[in-house]
């Protein structure tokens, strides 16, 4: 019995020790320092022109990282270029930057974020800076504020565009199906046409009938007519021919 109690006590101690190891230490962040980083970025982005901001992308990675380190800004060069793109996109969408309010810090599992409501020329927006657990700056996002009407209008436009795209794709698919059904018929017509051409080439050419001499036809016709007249008058064909010749001569002299 004592052994069982000792064993249960040992198991309880092990469980409590594992539970204690599973607890993570809460990271404490210096909000004032993080706000200084955020203010430094906003003020420099506001003061720079588009050409100056774009010049950072022309720098080499080592040169950009060195310049950011000398400025005391804990951010990677690639992340810094992404922040510049976000700033430029925000000004295209919301207009020129005017000002922003106080910063609000929110602690997350993988870091911390600072949020401030900013005022731009055309609409308001939220500027959000994200930091990792070591306090290094990871990103900057600008979320524009839209009214309910603008949100519904944009949603409706996206719906129309989506339906239009689907409609065009369906028409294209129908056209492809129609072509697939018409191609065999076209091939059959072409095959039949080629077959008829080959049959015409293989057909024998009939010889033209030999022409009959016109003189022979006339002689046979005269003989037939003479025989018919002789039979009617009871005379021979020779007498008919002689009388015909005499009549022609008498008519010629007269």
């Amino acid at each position: 019995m004592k052994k069982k109690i000792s064993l249960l006590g040992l198991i309880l101690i092990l469980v409590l020790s594992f539970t204690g190891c599973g607890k993570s230490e809460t990271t404490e962040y210096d909000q004032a320092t993080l706000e200084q980083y955020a203010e430094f970025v906003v003020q420099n982005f506001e003061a720079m022109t588009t050409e100056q901001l774009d010049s950072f992308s022309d720098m080499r990675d080592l040169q950009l990282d060195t310049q950011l380190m000398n400025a005391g800004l804990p951010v990677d060069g690639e992340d810094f270029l992404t922040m510049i793109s976000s700033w430029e996109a925000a000004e295209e969408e919301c207009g020129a930057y005017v000002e922003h309010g106080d910063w609000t810090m929110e602690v997350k599992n993988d870091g911390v974020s600072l949020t401030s409501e900013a005022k731009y020329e055309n609409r308001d927006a939220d500027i959000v800076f994200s930091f990792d657990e070591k306090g290094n700056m990871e990103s900057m996002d600008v979320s524009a504020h839209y009214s309910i009407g603008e949100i519904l209008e944009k949603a409706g436009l996206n719906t129309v565009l989506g339906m239009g795209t689907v409609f065009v794709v369906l028409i294209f698919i129908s056209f492809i199906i129609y072509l697939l059904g018409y191609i065999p018929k076209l091939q059959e017509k072409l095959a039949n046409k080629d077959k008829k051409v080959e049959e015409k080439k293989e057909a024998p050419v009939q010889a033209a009938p030999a022409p009959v001499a016109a003189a022979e036809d006339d002689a046979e016709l005269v003989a037939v007519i003479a025989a018919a007249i002789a039979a009617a008058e009871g005379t021979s064909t020779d007498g008919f021919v002689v009388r015909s010749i005499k009549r022609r001569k008498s008519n010629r002299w007269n």
Side-chain angles (χ1 to χ4, degrees), residues 98-135:
V98 179
E99 61 181 1
H100 70 274
D102 297 333
W103 296 98
T104 302
M105 187 175 71
E106 180 182 1
V107 179
K108 302 179 180 180
N109 294 330
D110 56 349
V112 63
S113 64
L114 289 178
T115 305
S116 176
E117 185 175 353
K119 184 177 181 181
Y120 286 81
E121 185 177 3
N122 297 331
R123 67 177 69 252
D124 297 339
D126 288 335
I127 302 177
V128 181
F129 284 93
S130 298
F131 300 85
D132 61 10
E133 295 179 350
K134 298 180 180 180

Short mmCIF file of all heavy atoms in Angstrom, two decimals, residues 98-135:
data_model
loop_
_atom_site.label_atom_id
_atom_site.label_comp_id
_atom_site.label_asym_id
_atom_site.label_seq_id
_atom_site.Cartn_x
_atom_site.Cartn_y
_atom_site.Cartn_z
N VAL A 98 -2.05 62.94 -44.59
CA VAL A 98 -2.24 64.19 -43.85
C VAL A 98 -1.68 64.06 -42.44
O VAL A 98 -0.75 64.78 -42.05
CB VAL A 98 -3.72 64.60 -43.82
CG1 VAL A 98 -3.89 65.90 -43.04
CG2 VAL A 98 -4.27 64.75 -45.24
N GLU A 99 -2.23 63.13 -41.65
CA GLU A 99 -1.80 62.97 -40.25
C GLU A 99 -2.34 61.65 -39.73
O GLU A 99 -3.15 60.98 -40.38
CB GLU A 99 -2.32 64.13 -39.38
CG GLU A 99 -3.84 64.22 -39.35
CD GLU A 99 -4.33 65.39 -38.50
OE1 GLU A 99 -3.47 66.11 -37.97
OE2 GLU A 99 -5.56 65.57 -38.39
N HIS A 100 -1.89 61.30 -38.50
CA HIS A 100 -2.43 60.11 -37.84
C HIS A 100 -2.54 60.38 -36.35
O HIS A 100 -1.94 61.31 -35.81
CB HIS A 100 -1.53 58.89 -38.10
CG HIS A 100 -0.22 58.96 -37.41
ND1 HIS A 100 0.88 59.60 -37.95
CD2 HIS A 100 0.20 58.47 -36.20
CE1 HIS A 100 1.91 59.50 -37.13
NE2 HIS A 100 1.52 58.81 -36.05
N GLY A 101 -3.31 59.50 -35.68
CA GLY A 101 -3.55 59.69 -34.25
C GLY A 101 -2.60 58.88 -33.40
O GLY A 101 -1.48 58.54 -33.81
N ASP A 102 -3.05 58.55 -32.17
CA ASP A 102 -2.24 57.80 -31.22
C ASP A 102 -2.15 56.33 -31.63
O ASP A 102 -2.99 55.81 -32.37
CB ASP A 102 -2.82 57.91 -29.80
CG ASP A 102 -2.81 59.35 -29.30
OD1 ASP A 102 -1.94 60.12 -29.76
OD2 ASP A 102 -3.68 59.69 -28.47
N TRP A 103 -1.11 55.68 -31.11
CA TRP A 103 -0.88 54.28 -31.42
C TRP A 103 -1.51 53.39 -30.36
O TRP A 103 -1.47 53.70 -29.18
CB TRP A 103 0.61 53.98 -31.52
CG TRP A 103 1.30 54.71 -32.63
CD1 TRP A 103 2.01 55.85 -32.53
CD2 TRP A 103 1.31 54.34 -34.02
NE1 TRP A 103 2.50 56.24 -33.76
CE2 TRP A 103 2.08 55.32 -34.70
CE3 TRP A 103 0.77 53.29 -34.74
CZ2 TRP A 103 2.31 55.26 -36.06
CZ3 TRP A 103 1.00 53.24 -36.11
CH2 TRP A 103 1.75 54.22 -36.76
N THR A 104 -2.06 52.28 -30.81
CA THR A 104 -2.63 51.28 -29.91
C THR A 104 -1.87 49.97 -30.11
O THR A 104 -1.76 49.47 -31.23
CB THR A 104 -4.12 51.05 -30.20
OG1 THR A 104 -4.82 52.28 -30.07
CG2 THR A 104 -4.70 50.03 -29.25
N MET A 105 -1.34 49.40 -29.00
CA MET A 105 -0.54 48.19 -29.09
C MET A 105 -1.40 46.97 -28.77
O MET A 105 -2.23 46.98 -27.86
CB MET A 105 0.64 48.25 -28.12
CG MET A 105 1.62 47.08 -28.28
SD MET A 105 3.10 47.23 -27.24
CE MET A 105 2.40 46.94 -25.62
N GLU A 106 -1.20 45.93 -29.56
CA GLU A 106 -1.91 44.67 -29.36
C GLU A 106 -0.89 43.53 -29.38
O GLU A 106 -0.17 43.34 -30.37
CB GLU A 106 -2.95 44.44 -30.45
CG GLU A 106 -3.73 43.15 -30.29
CD GLU A 106 -4.73 42.93 -31.41
OE1 GLU A 106 -4.80 43.79 -32.32
OE2 GLU A 106 -5.42 41.90 -31.40
N VAL A 107 -0.82 42.77 -28.27
CA VAL A 107 0.13 41.67 -28.15
C VAL A 107 -0.50 40.41 -28.74
O VAL A 107 -1.65 40.08 -28.44
CB VAL A 107 0.52 41.44 -26.69
CG1 VAL A 107 1.50 40.27 -26.58
CG2 VAL A 107 1.14 42.70 -26.09
N LYS A 108 0.27 39.71 -29.59
CA LYS A 108 -0.18 38.48 -30.21
C LYS A 108 0.74 37.33 -29.83
O LYS A 108 1.72 37.52 -29.12
CB LYS A 108 -0.23 38.65 -31.73
CG LYS A 108 -1.13 39.79 -32.18
CD LYS A 108 -1.10 39.94 -33.70
CE LYS A 108 -2.00 41.08 -34.16
NZ LYS A 108 -1.98 41.25 -35.64
N ASN A 109 0.41 36.12 -30.32
CA ASN A 109 1.21 34.95 -29.98
C ASN A 109 2.61 35.03 -30.58
O ASN A 109 3.58 34.56 -29.99
CB ASN A 109 0.52 33.68 -30.46
CG ASN A 109 -0.78 33.43 -29.72
OD1 ASN A 109 -0.94 33.82 -28.56
ND2 ASN A 109 -1.73 32.78 -30.39
N ASP A 110 2.70 35.60 -31.78
CA ASP A 110 3.99 35.63 -32.47
C ASP A 110 4.59 37.02 -32.53
O ASP A 110 5.52 37.27 -33.31
CB ASP A 110 3.83 35.08 -33.88
CG ASP A 110 2.77 35.83 -34.67
OD1 ASP A 110 2.01 36.62 -34.06
OD2 ASP A 110 2.69 35.62 -35.90
N GLY A 111 4.11 37.94 -31.75
CA GLY A 111 4.66 39.28 -31.77
C GLY A 111 3.68 40.31 -31.26
O GLY A 111 2.83 40.03 -30.41
N VAL A 112 3.80 41.52 -31.78
CA VAL A 112 2.97 42.63 -31.33
C VAL A 112 2.71 43.54 -32.53
O VAL A 112 3.47 43.56 -33.50
CB VAL A 112 3.69 43.42 -30.20
CG1 VAL A 112 4.97 44.05 -30.71
CG2 VAL A 112 2.77 44.47 -29.59
N SER A 113 1.61 44.28 -32.47
CA SER A 113 1.26 45.20 -33.56
C SER A 113 0.89 46.56 -32.99
O SER A 113 0.34 46.66 -31.88
CB SER A 113 0.10 44.64 -34.39
OG SER A 113 -1.07 44.55 -33.60
N LEU A 114 1.18 47.60 -33.75
CA LEU A 114 0.80 48.97 -33.42
C LEU A 114 -0.16 49.46 -34.49
O LEU A 114 0.10 49.33 -35.68
CB LEU A 114 2.03 49.89 -33.37
CG LEU A 114 3.00 49.70 -32.21
CD1 LEU A 114 4.17 50.68 -32.36
CD2 LEU A 114 2.30 49.92 -30.87
N THR A 115 -1.29 50.04 -34.04
CA THR A 115 -2.33 50.50 -34.97
C THR A 115 -2.65 51.95 -34.67
O THR A 115 -2.80 52.34 -33.51
CB THR A 115 -3.60 49.64 -34.85
OG1 THR A 115 -3.27 48.27 -35.06
CG2 THR A 115 -4.64 50.08 -35.87
N SER A 116 -2.79 52.74 -35.75
CA SER A 116 -3.16 54.14 -35.60
C SER A 116 -4.09 54.51 -36.75
O SER A 116 -3.87 54.10 -37.90
CB SER A 116 -1.93 55.04 -35.62
OG SER A 116 -2.31 56.42 -35.56
N GLU A 117 -5.12 55.29 -36.45
CA GLU A 117 -6.04 55.76 -37.48
C GLU A 117 -5.45 57.00 -38.15
O GLU A 117 -5.15 57.99 -37.48
CB GLU A 117 -7.41 56.08 -36.88
CG GLU A 117 -8.45 56.45 -37.93
CD GLU A 117 -9.83 56.64 -37.32
OE1 GLU A 117 -9.99 56.35 -36.11
OE2 GLU A 117 -10.74 57.07 -38.05
N ALA A 118 -5.28 56.92 -39.45
CA ALA A 118 -4.64 57.99 -40.20
C ALA A 118 -5.66 58.68 -41.10
O ALA A 118 -6.65 58.09 -41.52
CB ALA A 118 -3.49 57.45 -41.04
N LYS A 119 -5.36 59.93 -41.39
CA LYS A 119 -6.22 60.71 -42.27
C LYS A 119 -5.47 60.99 -43.56
O LYS A 119 -4.37 61.54 -43.54
CB LYS A 119 -6.62 62.03 -41.59
CG LYS A 119 -7.59 62.87 -42.41
CD LYS A 119 -8.00 64.12 -41.66
CE LYS A 119 -8.99 64.95 -42.47
NZ LYS A 119 -9.39 66.19 -41.75
N TYR A 120 -6.11 60.64 -44.66
CA TYR A 120 -5.55 60.91 -45.98
C TYR A 120 -6.44 61.94 -46.69
O TYR A 120 -7.49 62.34 -46.18
CB TYR A 120 -5.45 59.63 -46.80
CG TYR A 120 -4.33 58.70 -46.37
CD1 TYR A 120 -4.48 57.85 -45.28
CD2 TYR A 120 -3.11 58.69 -47.03
CE1 TYR A 120 -3.46 57.00 -44.88
CE2 TYR A 120 -2.09 57.84 -46.65
CZ TYR A 120 -2.27 57.01 -45.57
OH TYR A 120 -1.24 56.17 -45.17
N GLU A 121 -6.00 62.34 -47.85
CA GLU A 121 -6.71 63.40 -48.57
C GLU A 121 -8.12 62.98 -48.98
O GLU A 121 -9.07 63.78 -48.90
CB GLU A 121 -5.90 63.79 -49.81
CG GLU A 121 -6.47 64.98 -50.57
CD GLU A 121 -5.59 65.37 -51.74
OE1 GLU A 121 -4.58 64.69 -51.99
OE2 GLU A 121 -5.93 66.37 -52.40
N ASN A 122 -8.28 61.73 -49.40
CA ASN A 122 -9.58 61.29 -49.92
C ASN A 122 -10.38 60.46 -48.93
O ASN A 122 -11.60 60.52 -48.91
CB ASN A 122 -9.38 60.48 -51.20
CG ASN A 122 -8.76 61.32 -52.31
OD1 ASN A 122 -8.96 62.53 -52.37
ND2 ASN A 122 -8.01 60.67 -53.19
N ARG A 123 -9.72 59.70 -48.08
CA ARG A 123 -10.42 58.86 -47.11
C ARG A 123 -9.49 58.50 -45.97
O ARG A 123 -8.27 58.61 -46.09
CB ARG A 123 -10.98 57.60 -47.77
CG ARG A 123 -9.92 56.64 -48.27
CD ARG A 123 -10.53 55.36 -48.85
NE ARG A 123 -11.22 55.63 -50.11
CZ ARG A 123 -12.54 55.62 -50.24
NH1 ARG A 123 -13.31 55.35 -49.19
NH2 ARG A 123 -13.10 55.85 -51.40
N ASP A 124 -10.09 58.06 -44.87
CA ASP A 124 -9.30 57.65 -43.71
C ASP A 124 -8.84 56.20 -43.87
O ASP A 124 -9.38 55.44 -44.68
CB ASP A 124 -10.12 57.80 -42.42
CG ASP A 124 -10.49 59.25 -42.14
OD1 ASP A 124 -9.80 60.14 -42.69
OD2 ASP A 124 -11.45 59.50 -41.39
N ALA A 125 -7.84 55.84 -43.05
CA ALA A 125 -7.29 54.49 -43.11
C ALA A 125 -6.61 54.15 -41.79
O ALA A 125 -6.33 55.04 -40.98
CB ALA A 125 -6.31 54.35 -44.27
N ASP A 126 -6.35 52.86 -41.60
CA ASP A 126 -5.63 52.38 -40.42
C ASP A 126 -4.22 51.96 -40.84
O ASP A 126 -4.05 51.16 -41.78
CB ASP A 126 -6.34 51.18 -39.79
CG ASP A 126 -7.63 51.59 -39.10
OD1 ASP A 126 -7.73 52.76 -38.70
OD2 ASP A 126 -8.54 50.73 -38.98
N ILE A 127 -3.22 52.51 -40.13
CA ILE A 127 -1.83 52.11 -40.36
C ILE A 127 -1.45 51.11 -39.29
O ILE A 127 -1.56 51.39 -38.09
CB ILE A 127 -0.88 53.33 -40.33
CG1 ILE A 127 -1.29 54.35 -41.38
CG2 ILE A 127 0.56 52.88 -40.55
CD1 ILE A 127 -0.44 55.61 -41.36
N VAL A 128 -0.98 49.93 -39.72
CA VAL A 128 -0.66 48.85 -38.79
C VAL A 128 0.79 48.42 -39.01
O VAL A 128 1.16 48.04 -40.12
CB VAL A 128 -1.61 47.65 -38.98
CG1 VAL A 128 -1.27 46.55 -37.99
CG2 VAL A 128 -3.06 48.08 -38.84
N PHE A 129 1.60 48.51 -37.93
CA PHE A 129 2.98 48.02 -37.95
C PHE A 129 3.03 46.72 -37.15
O PHE A 129 2.49 46.62 -36.04
CB PHE A 129 3.94 49.03 -37.32
CG PHE A 129 4.25 50.19 -38.21
CD1 PHE A 129 3.51 51.36 -38.13
CD2 PHE A 129 5.29 50.12 -39.13
CE1 PHE A 129 3.80 52.43 -38.95
CE2 PHE A 129 5.58 51.19 -39.95
CZ PHE A 129 4.83 52.36 -39.86
N SER A 130 3.68 45.70 -37.72
CA SER A 130 3.82 44.40 -37.05
C SER A 130 5.27 44.18 -36.66
O SER A 130 6.19 44.45 -37.46
CB SER A 130 3.35 43.26 -37.97
OG SER A 130 1.97 43.42 -38.29
N PHE A 131 5.49 43.68 -35.43
CA PHE A 131 6.82 43.39 -34.89
C PHE A 131 6.86 41.94 -34.45
O PHE A 131 5.83 41.38 -34.02
CB PHE A 131 7.16 44.31 -33.71
CG PHE A 131 7.16 45.78 -34.05
CD1 PHE A 131 5.98 46.51 -34.04
CD2 PHE A 131 8.35 46.43 -34.37
CE1 PHE A 131 5.98 47.87 -34.34
CE2 PHE A 131 8.36 47.78 -34.66
CZ PHE A 131 7.18 48.50 -34.66
N ASP A 132 8.03 41.32 -34.55
CA ASP A 132 8.17 39.96 -34.06
C ASP A 132 8.46 39.97 -32.56
O ASP A 132 8.42 41.02 -31.90
CB ASP A 132 9.26 39.21 -34.83
CG ASP A 132 10.63 39.88 -34.68
OD1 ASP A 132 10.78 40.80 -33.85
OD2 ASP A 132 11.56 39.50 -35.43
N GLU A 133 8.74 38.80 -31.99
CA GLU A 133 8.95 38.69 -30.56
C GLU A 133 10.20 39.42 -30.08
O GLU A 133 10.30 39.79 -28.91
CB GLU A 133 9.04 37.21 -30.17
CG GLU A 133 7.75 36.44 -30.42
CD GLU A 133 7.88 34.98 -30.05
OE1 GLU A 133 9.03 34.54 -29.79
OE2 GLU A 133 6.87 34.27 -30.04
N LYS A 134 11.16 39.62 -30.99
CA LYS A 134 12.38 40.33 -30.62
C LYS A 134 12.29 41.83 -30.84
O LYS A 134 13.26 42.55 -30.61
CB LYS A 134 13.56 39.77 -31.43
CG LYS A 134 13.84 38.31 -31.15
CD LYS A 134 15.01 37.82 -31.97
CE LYS A 134 15.31 36.36 -31.69
NZ LYS A 134 16.46 35.85 -32.49
N GLY A 135 11.14 42.29 -31.29
CA GLY A 135 10.96 43.72 -31.51
C GLY A 135 11.42 44.20 -32.88
O GLY A 135 11.48 45.41 -33.11
#
